[in-house]
Amino acid sequence: MDKQVRMEIRRQTGTRKIPEKTKKPEGPEYSMSFVCFNCKTSNMRHFNRPPCDYPDVISCPICKEDSFNLGRNFKPPKKSDSMQWKKIKYLVSHGFLFQKIRVVPGSYDSIPYPETLSEAKDFVVNYGKWAIKRLRKE
């Protein structure tokens, strides 16, 4: 007698429970990256609400300063890379929260974010109309 037949006999006699299908837990669609410039950390957070209702600013879990929501696509640099942190702080202070910037309406092509602080200054001048002006605090 093979294994499948033995398992079926046990199920029919009640000596083997039929495993229940595991349901995926309910929760948010995705987490967002919240960045603290004081302690140079990034923390992924999710809330039980639609992503468009996530707060723009929350309290940092480490230093209790403001942490800014930079979206789900943000990849933080190392803590020791101070030039990259300066660039990120400059972009955020000018309203660029690492959202996708699509210059051509209806296109899926997005503008890449700058690599250096000097490129970021040109980026702010060239793409300033796509900056996000509001910051909501939780």
Side-chain angles (χ1 to χ4, degrees):
M1 204 181 299
D2 66 343
K3 184 177 179 180
Q4 293 296 332
V5 174
R6 289 193 314 265
M7 285 174 55
E8 188 58 38
I9 291 171
R10 284 191 218 129
R11 282 189 191 114
Q12 290 173 357
T13 59
T15 56
R16 179 173 176 93
K17 288 188 177 181
I18 299 172
E20 295 180 19
K21 291 190 177 188
T22 56
K23 183 180 176 186
K24 184 179 174 185
E26 294 290 324
E29 293 179 36
Y30 31 68
S31 298
M32 299 291 186
S33 227
F34 284 85
V35 173
C36 175
F37 294 112
N38 187 43
C39 57
K40 296 181 181 176
T41 57
S42 174
N43 301 290
M44 297 299 281
R45 294 284 180 259
H46 63 271
F47 301 89
N48 289 327
R49 57 180 110 162
C52 62
D53 292 336
Y54 281 14
D56 294 329
V57 181
I58 62 170
S59 178
C60 174
I62 298 167
C63 69
K64 306 304 180 211
E65 293 291 322
D66 286 344
S67 284
F68 300 93
N69 182 352
L70 299 189
R72 63 187 181 136
N73 297 320
F74 176 74
K75 303 289 185 262
K78 292 182 179 181
K79 276 188 178 186
S80 60
D81 195 349
S82 61
M83 290 307 291
Q84 287 298 314
W85 281 102
K86 284 180 185 177
K87 176 195 74 170
I88 294 166
K89 189 172 185 176
Y90 179 80
L91 289 169
V92 170
S93 68
H94 284 85
F96 291 95
L97 304 179
F98 290 82
Q99 75 278 12
K100 292 192 185 276
I101 296 175
R102 295 194 169 106
V103 179
V104 179
S107 171
Y108 289 107
D109 296 332
S110 59
I111 302 297
Y113 271 76
E115 297 290 324
T116 64
L117 183 58
S118 61
E119 289 176 8
K121 292 176 182 178
D122 292 334
F123 183 85
V124 168
V125 170
N126 294 333
Y127 302 107
K129 72 177 191 177
W130 283 277
I132 297 172
K133 303 295 182 199
R134 61 167 173 71
L135 286 177
R136 293 187 313 262
K137 202 165 187 178
E138 174 92 339

